[in-house]
Short mmCIF file of all heavy atoms in Angstrom, two decimals:
data_model
loop_
_atom_site.label_atom_id
_atom_site.label_comp_id
_atom_site.label_asym_id
_atom_site.label_seq_id
_atom_site.Cartn_x
_atom_site.Cartn_y
_atom_site.Cartn_z
N GLN U 329 -1.68 -21.54 52.41
CA GLN U 329 -2.55 -22.68 52.71
C GLN U 329 -4.01 -22.24 52.70
O GLN U 329 -4.38 -21.21 53.25
CB GLN U 329 -2.20 -23.26 54.09
CG GLN U 329 -3.06 -24.45 54.50
CD GLN U 329 -2.72 -24.91 55.90
OE1 GLN U 329 -1.73 -24.44 56.47
NE2 GLN U 329 -3.50 -25.81 56.44
N THR U 330 -4.87 -23.04 52.05
CA THR U 330 -6.28 -22.75 52.03
C THR U 330 -7.02 -23.45 53.15
O THR U 330 -6.47 -24.40 53.75
CB THR U 330 -6.85 -23.23 50.67
OG1 THR U 330 -6.82 -24.64 50.64
CG2 THR U 330 -6.07 -22.65 49.50
N PRO U 331 -8.22 -23.03 53.47
CA PRO U 331 -8.96 -23.68 54.55
C PRO U 331 -9.20 -25.15 54.32
O PRO U 331 -9.35 -25.92 55.25
CB PRO U 331 -10.27 -22.89 54.62
CG PRO U 331 -9.98 -21.57 54.02
CD PRO U 331 -8.92 -21.83 52.97
N ASP U 332 -9.20 -25.52 53.05
CA ASP U 332 -9.49 -26.93 52.76
C ASP U 332 -8.39 -27.85 53.24
O ASP U 332 -8.52 -29.04 53.25
CB ASP U 332 -9.68 -27.10 51.23
CG ASP U 332 -10.32 -28.42 50.90
OD1 ASP U 332 -11.14 -28.92 51.71
OD2 ASP U 332 -10.01 -28.96 49.84
N ALA U 333 -7.24 -27.26 53.60
CA ALA U 333 -6.14 -28.08 54.11
C ALA U 333 -6.29 -28.47 55.56
O ALA U 333 -5.42 -29.11 56.14
CB ALA U 333 -4.82 -27.34 53.93
N GLU U 334 -7.40 -28.07 56.25
CA GLU U 334 -7.63 -28.49 57.63
C GLU U 334 -7.85 -29.98 57.69
O GLU U 334 -8.20 -30.64 56.73
CB GLU U 334 -8.83 -27.75 58.17
CG GLU U 334 -8.63 -26.22 58.23
CD GLU U 334 -9.91 -25.53 58.69
OE1 GLU U 334 -10.86 -26.29 59.02
OE2 GLU U 334 -9.92 -24.33 58.77
N SER U 335 -7.65 -30.50 58.86
CA SER U 335 -7.80 -31.95 59.02
C SER U 335 -9.24 -32.35 58.89
O SER U 335 -10.16 -31.58 59.15
CB SER U 335 -7.30 -32.34 60.44
OG SER U 335 -8.12 -31.75 61.43
N PRO U 336 -9.51 -33.59 58.44
CA PRO U 336 -10.88 -34.02 58.27
C PRO U 336 -11.65 -33.97 59.60
O PRO U 336 -12.82 -33.67 59.61
CB PRO U 336 -10.73 -35.47 57.75
CG PRO U 336 -9.39 -35.50 57.12
CD PRO U 336 -8.55 -34.58 57.95
N GLN U 337 -10.93 -34.25 60.73
CA GLN U 337 -11.64 -34.23 61.99
C GLN U 337 -12.17 -32.85 62.33
O GLN U 337 -13.28 -32.67 62.76
CB GLN U 337 -10.70 -34.73 63.10
CG GLN U 337 -10.34 -36.20 63.00
CD GLN U 337 -9.25 -36.48 61.98
OE1 GLN U 337 -8.73 -35.55 61.38
NE2 GLN U 337 -8.92 -37.75 61.78
N SER U 338 -11.28 -31.84 62.11
CA SER U 338 -11.75 -30.49 62.43
C SER U 338 -12.87 -30.05 61.52
O SER U 338 -13.78 -29.32 61.95
CB SER U 338 -10.54 -29.52 62.34
OG SER U 338 -10.08 -29.50 60.99
N SER U 339 -12.84 -30.48 60.26
CA SER U 339 -13.91 -30.11 59.36
C SER U 339 -15.22 -30.74 59.80
O SER U 339 -16.27 -30.09 59.81
CB SER U 339 -13.59 -30.56 57.92
OG SER U 339 -12.43 -29.92 57.47
N ARG U 340 -15.17 -31.98 60.15
CA ARG U 340 -16.40 -32.63 60.57
C ARG U 340 -16.88 -32.08 61.91
O ARG U 340 -18.06 -31.94 62.18
CB ARG U 340 -16.17 -34.14 60.70
CG ARG U 340 -16.06 -34.80 59.31
CD ARG U 340 -16.18 -36.31 59.50
NE ARG U 340 -15.01 -36.84 60.24
CZ ARG U 340 -13.90 -37.29 59.65
NH1 ARG U 340 -13.80 -37.24 58.34
NH2 ARG U 340 -12.91 -37.75 60.38
N ALA U 341 -15.88 -31.77 62.75
CA ALA U 341 -16.27 -31.24 64.07
C ALA U 341 -16.94 -29.88 63.96
O ALA U 341 -17.74 -29.52 64.81
CB ALA U 341 -15.03 -31.13 64.97
N SER U 342 -16.65 -29.15 62.96
CA SER U 342 -17.26 -27.83 62.82
C SER U 342 -18.71 -27.92 62.47
O SER U 342 -19.45 -26.96 62.61
CB SER U 342 -16.51 -27.02 61.75
OG SER U 342 -16.66 -27.66 60.48
N ASP U 348 -15.07 -31.27 50.53
CA ASP U 348 -13.78 -30.68 50.15
C ASP U 348 -13.93 -29.81 48.92
O ASP U 348 -13.28 -28.77 48.80
CB ASP U 348 -12.75 -31.80 49.89
CG ASP U 348 -12.36 -32.50 51.16
OD1 ASP U 348 -12.68 -31.95 52.23
OD2 ASP U 348 -11.73 -33.58 51.07
N TYR U 351 -15.28 -26.38 49.86
CA TYR U 351 -14.25 -25.51 50.40
C TYR U 351 -13.34 -24.97 49.28
O TYR U 351 -12.93 -23.83 49.26
CB TYR U 351 -13.39 -26.28 51.41
CG TYR U 351 -13.93 -26.22 52.82
CD1 TYR U 351 -14.28 -27.35 53.52
CD2 TYR U 351 -14.10 -24.98 53.44
CE1 TYR U 351 -14.75 -27.29 54.81
CE2 TYR U 351 -14.59 -24.91 54.75
CZ TYR U 351 -14.91 -26.06 55.42
OH TYR U 351 -15.36 -25.99 56.70
N VAL U 374 1.09 -25.88 57.23
CA VAL U 374 0.83 -26.87 58.27
C VAL U 374 2.10 -27.09 59.09
O VAL U 374 2.08 -27.29 60.31
CB VAL U 374 0.35 -28.20 57.62
CG1 VAL U 374 0.27 -29.30 58.66
CG2 VAL U 374 -1.01 -27.98 56.96
N ARG U 413 -1.95 -30.04 51.41
CA ARG U 413 -2.94 -30.30 50.39
C ARG U 413 -3.73 -29.02 50.08
O ARG U 413 -4.04 -28.23 50.97
CB ARG U 413 -3.91 -31.40 50.90
CG ARG U 413 -5.00 -31.80 49.93
CD ARG U 413 -5.72 -33.04 50.41
NE ARG U 413 -6.81 -33.36 49.62
CZ ARG U 413 -8.08 -33.03 49.88
NH1 ARG U 413 -8.31 -32.35 50.99
NH2 ARG U 413 -9.08 -33.36 49.07
#
Side-chain angles (χ1 to χ4, degrees):
Q329 179 183 351
T330 67
D332 195 32
E334 297 177 2
S335 64
Q337 292 79 3
S338 62
S339 299
R340 287 193 294 269
S342 64
D348 291 347
Y351 272 122
V374 172
R413 182 169 174 263

